[in-house]
Amino acid sequence: MFQEPRSASREVNHCGAGCRAGEDLAGGSYLAPSSAASPNWVGEDGTSSSPAQHLGLCQTHPQISPPSAESSANFPSSPPPLLSASITPQLQEEESLYRELLSHPPYPRASRCPHTQTLSSSLTALAPRTPLDEPHSPWIALLMPSRFYNKVQDLHLGAGGSAANPLLAYTLIKRLQSDWLNVVHSLEASENTQALKNGYTQVEKDLPEFEDLEGAARALMRLQDVYALSVKGLAKGVFQRASGTHLPDIYTPGQLFPLSADDCFLIGKVAYDRADYYHSIVWLEEAVSLFRVSYGEWNTEDEGSLEDALDYLAFSYFQAGNVSHALSLSREFLHYDPSNKRIARNVLKYEKLLMESPERAKAEVGLQRPNVTHLQTRDLYEELCQTLGSQPTRYQIAALHCSYETNDSPYLILQPVKRELLRLQLYVALYHDFVSDLEAEKIKGLAAPWLQRSVVASEETQQKAEYRISKSAWLKDTVDPVIVSLDQRIAALTGLDIRPPYAEYLQVVNYGIGGHYEPHFDHATSRKSPLYRMKSGNRLATVMIYLSSVDAGGSTAFIYANLSVPVVKNAALFWWNLHRNGAGNGDTLHAGCPVLAGDKWVANKWIHEHGQEFRRRCGPNPDD
Ligand SMILES: O=C(O)CCC(=O)C(=O)O
Ligand SMILES: [Fe+2]
């Protein structure tokens, strides 16, 4: 029997029919589970060191004080618009809610209360800049009915910066003095205030949580790793490969969305909180250089500062064993904030450490990228994701060809399917235009209200996993005739019996940016798997339909077959998971690469062993 490619057992998707309905649609929030609570670091007075123990600090260097949790634990609860819109598709709706709420200027500028501060960061650009849009004006603006606002705005803009016309000067002064007072104390203003507050309350419950933001940051780090992207490039809004790789740019966005120093700081801090210094160092380095450039300018929406970034970066270097770097960054911190006693103490301790063992100064510390999901085939998998299905062998092997297929089915005689053979030893075929645009849209629309965080089978249970980040929903054929006709087509194409319980319901899967499914098998590798609850044997075959295209990434990689299939909208991918003798085929190890840009949708139809006894006959050859 084939051994699974990781130490932790990695099994199949959970089953889509025969399992209880509650299990199928159960699930939690979309993004990854929250990390350990913020560390309760050593305070200025040197008390409380439990988090330091957590990092193994007490055993080695009990005296060094890591950055205080209070200084930057409360990050804004909303991710930058670029990422929020794509990491969780429903965030787009939230953003449009903001827009709706705030579409009539004026609206308040940033305040420090949670939720509103990030609205300003994403939406400030929407409002025209007017003389009223000054730091002192938010509450004025809040109270002002849009009718009056527009009137004043027109006057101000008409003045073109000077009020040379005495009539204009008079009306401006009058508006801002007596008219304005009338407005502020009007019933209209108090009604507006109330409406705005109600709107906020409505929006607040849908705003992303901190764990969503953390998930978004982790998704960016995943993209950085899998596609070997340069962090410097990402901060500038471009998708360049990290130096040392000779791959072309993977994606050229139509518009650049550079990250701010604070955006980079937050990613670095998310990594730091997970004791992942491999990532925290590069992102905090970027944050520090951007904060240095803008030193002295304060953005209300920022949570971190140059000092915070230096603090976290110094400590990350210290944890990674680079004491001299930790020392120079801490000294830089003191240059900006000489009164910080904790950092001053750290400087003394770093100096002492370096005096006691000068070899530390020269120690080159090679940081290892954390292998969070213990993937043993990581390099192969990432290489396949990076090459995006452009393996030359695909065109070099003569036996791989395209053909029209009817499979002797009357259903397909008038409209044969277009088959592209992708591999032979492991039989993988791509059927082009298997569904129409209309059908794809219909299926996505039917599934959308039911999408839940995808789960995987682990032993006898089903649970969320870092190695599968997507949302999914199951569609029975009774929901709509489009599913019935799709089932008919699949049956005709495969020649298999897909009536329940011989096949599962259709599983529709949606991946946002950074969404992925690391190498796995579709078939069960343990008799205890929930797949067997259907009592129709193991998953014999997979038909996977691409319901969307993507802008970049997201290909389906077959690790041992050295094949990666790009997302081809409306095409269906077919492969056998089991040999004819019923044993699982280890060569079917496959993955959904992370989506780099766009929104990926697929639909899975898993066909089971039972019911196919005379349709795919068993054979003694273990390789068939
Ligand atoms: O999304 C993909 O390309 C692969 C999905 C997959 O393997 C699955 O859902 O089991
Ligand atoms: Fe799969």
Side-chain angles (χ1 to χ4, degrees):
M1 184 72 146
F2 184 80
Q3 290 295 305
E4 289 182 62
R6 61 188 61 242
S7 46
S9 147
R10 169 163 303 189
E11 280 203 9
V12 295
N13 301 277
H14 77 307
C15 54
C19 300
R20 278 164 299 169
E23 288 167 356
D24 288 349
L25 291 175
S29 66
Y30 168 48
L31 287 161
S34 58
S35 68
S38 296
N40 173 23
W41 297 121
V42 180
E44 283 280 310
D45 59 357
T47 57
S48 171
S49 59
S50 58
Q53 284 160 353
H54 150 74
L55 295 174
L57 186 64
C58 282
Q59 294 84 357
T60 47
H61 308 286
Q63 323 87 316
I64 306 294
S65 305
S68 148
E70 296 94 72
S71 67
S72 46
N74 297 318
F75 289 99
S77 50
S78 163
L82 163 68
L83 212 57
S84 69
S86 29
I87 295 273
T88 52
Q90 83 269 32
L91 294 188
Q92 276 166 337
E93 283 163 33
E94 283 154 18
E95 183 145 16
S96 72
L97 255 176
Y98 301 153
R99 281 171 201 271
E100 203 180 304
L101 178 64
L102 301 172
S103 59
H104 308 293
Y107 60 85
R109 282 171 65 87
S111 71
R112 296 305 296 175
C113 42
H115 305 312
T116 54
Q117 58 181 327
T118 50
L119 291 187
S120 67
S121 61
S122 25
L123 297 165
T124 304
L126 293 181
R129 229 188 131 68
T130 75
L132 290 172
D133 193 18
E134 292 303 330
H136 67 271
S137 68
W139 307 111
I140 298 174
L142 169 67
L143 291 166
M144 222 186 318
S146 58
R147 176 189 50 74
F148 181 72
Y149 177 91
N150 291 336
K151 197 157 129 187
V152 178
Q153 189 188 17
D154 287 349
L155 283 171
H156 279 245
L157 292 175
S162 83
N165 183 329
L167 297 175
L168 178 66
Y170 165 73
T171 47
L172 279 177
I173 290 166
K174 175 173 175 295
R175 303 265 178 248
L176 291 176
Q177 215 288 319
S178 106
D179 294 10
W180 167 240
L181 283 180
N182 293 337
V183 166
V184 169
H185 297 290
S186 73
L187 188 63
E188 201 181 350
S190 54
E191 279 167 1
N192 276 3
T193 316
Q194 196 51 45
L196 194 64
K197 273 190 190 154
N198 292 346
Y200 275 140
T201 317
Q202 190 66 26
V203 166
E204 245 171 23
K205 66 177 172 18
D206 294 325
L207 288 177
E209 308 272 327
F210 180 68
E211 73 166 344
D212 296 327
L213 179 54
E214 229 184 358
R218 297 231 295 276
L220 258 186
M221 290 185 253
R222 182 179 314 127
L223 293 174
Q224 169 202 339
D225 293 341
V226 174
Y227 294 109
L229 298 172
S230 129
V231 166
K232 239 181 201 342
L234 286 175
K236 288 190 191 121
V238 295
F239 293 76
Q240 286 160 346
R241 307 301 185 125
S243 57
T245 53
H246 304 287
L247 295 162
D249 279 8
I250 189 164
Y251 167 60
T252 312
Q255 196 187 341
L256 295 189
F257 291 98
L259 300 177
S260 70
D262 196 57
D263 295 337
C264 297
F265 172 65
L266 181 119
I267 300 169
K269 192 177 170 293
V270 166
Y272 172 93
D273 284 343
R274 296 165 70 83
D276 166 10
Y277 306 111
Y278 173 89
H279 288 108
S280 74
I281 286 177
V282 271
W283 282 99
L284 291 169
E285 279 284 9
E286 201 49 39
V288 162
S289 31
L290 291 171
F291 273 131
R292 278 184 190 132
V293 173
S294 61
Y295 192 71
E297 291 166 27
W298 171 252
N299 293 321
T300 324
E301 68 273 17
D302 282 359
E303 194 65 34
S305 62
L306 175 57
E307 289 87 332
D308 291 329
L310 286 168
D311 191 3
Y312 278 89
L313 182 58
F315 203 75
S316 296
Y317 270 120
F318 168 66
Q319 287 287 39
N322 194 335
V323 180
S324 51
H325 227 103
L327 174 62
S328 64
L329 291 161
S330 302
R331 281 184 180 146
E332 185 180 344
F333 182 111
L334 287 182
H335 169 76
Y336 295 112
D337 180 4
S339 63
N340 190 304
K341 294 196 187 83
R342 181 173 57 84
I343 301 293
R345 280 198 301 268
N346 282 355
V347 164
L348 291 177
K349 288 161 197 164
Y350 291 142
E351 284 169 346
K352 194 161 170 247
L353 274 173
L354 285 173
M355 284 230 300
E356 280 165 4
S357 39
E359 68 281 359
R360 277 178 193 273
K362 284 181 248 122
E364 250 327 300
V365 183
L367 271 173
Q368 283 286 315
R369 188 178 130 198
N371 193 353
V372 183
T373 54
H374 311 286
L375 187 59
Q376 287 169 15
T377 53
R378 187 167 81 178
D379 292 348
L380 273 174
Y381 160 57
E382 292 181 355
E383 214 178 298
L384 285 168
C385 290
Q386 287 171 13
T387 52
L388 297 171
S390 55
Q391 286 80 37
T393 49
R394 199 165 138 203
Y395 308 102
Q396 286 165 356
I397 303 172
L400 301 180
H401 61 275
C402 296
S403 57
Y404 285 105
E405 296 289 326
T406 62
N407 198 23
D408 290 333
S409 161
Y411 189 87
L412 298 175
I413 285 177
L414 289 180
Q415 198 180 5
V417 280
K418 296 181 237 174
R419 186 185 70 171
E420 182 184 355
L421 261 182
L422 300 180
R423 276 291 180 278
L424 275 176
Q425 288 88 342
L426 173 70
Y427 179 84
V428 185
L430 187 68
Y431 294 92
H432 291 263
D433 298 319
F434 189 68
V435 293
S436 67
D437 281 339
L438 226 64
E439 284 173 321
E441 289 317 303
K442 181 81 197 173
I443 295 167
K444 288 190 278 185
L446 289 168
W450 302 102
L451 291 173
Q452 297 280 349
R453 167 80 194 261
S454 300
V455 291
V456 291
S458 166
E459 295 284 306
E460 285 149 82
T461 62
Q462 294 156 359
Q463 48 192 237
K464 295 178 212 162
E466 180 85 12
Y467 71 83
R468 186 184 192 197
I469 307 277
S470 63
K471 282 173 156 186
S472 50
W474 298 94
L475 294 181
K476 275 183 168 183
D477 59 354
T478 48
V479 267
D480 194 274
V482 73
I483 311 291
V484 178
S485 107
L486 184 65
D487 277 355
Q488 274 173 349
R489 216 170 303 153
I490 293 174
L493 172 83
T494 57
L496 300 174
D497 190 344
I498 64 162
R499 290 168 303 169
Y502 303 137
E504 296 170 45
Y505 303 140
L506 190 71
Q507 187 193 49
V508 181
V509 187
N510 175 218
Y511 301 88
I513 293 183
H516 71 151
Y517 196 170
E518 284 190 354
H520 65 280
F521 298 116
D522 282 358
H523 60 273
T525 52
S526 145
R527 286 300 303 181
K528 290 187 196 149
S529 166
L531 279 185
Y532 287 108
R533 285 192 214 151
M534 280 178 68
K535 304 213 179 311
S536 53
N538 207 342
R539 281 178 178 161
L540 173 66
T542 298
V543 177
M544 195 188 81
I545 306 159
Y546 296 108
L547 299 174
S548 71
S549 51
V550 292
D551 294 335
S555 52
T556 307
F558 289 83
I559 314 305
Y560 297 128
N562 186 31
L563 169 70
S564 105
V565 186
V567 176
V568 179
K569 187 171 189 292
N570 298 343
L573 199 60
F574 175 91
W575 69 93
W576 300 105
N577 293 302
L578 307 181
H579 290 291
R580 281 184 183 275
N581 66 4
N585 184 347
D587 288 346
T588 62
L589 188 75
H590 65 282
C593 297
V595 174
L596 183 59
D599 193 20
K600 176 181 167 190
W601 290 78
V602 300
N604 287 309
K605 190 76 181 171
W606 284 297
I607 305 166
H608 281 234
E609 288 175 284
H610 295 190
Q612 327 304 342
E613 292 81 356
F614 298 103
R615 296 167 189 257
R616 193 192 192 222
R617 291 174 185 278
C618 53
N621 185 346
D623 292 332
D624 282 353

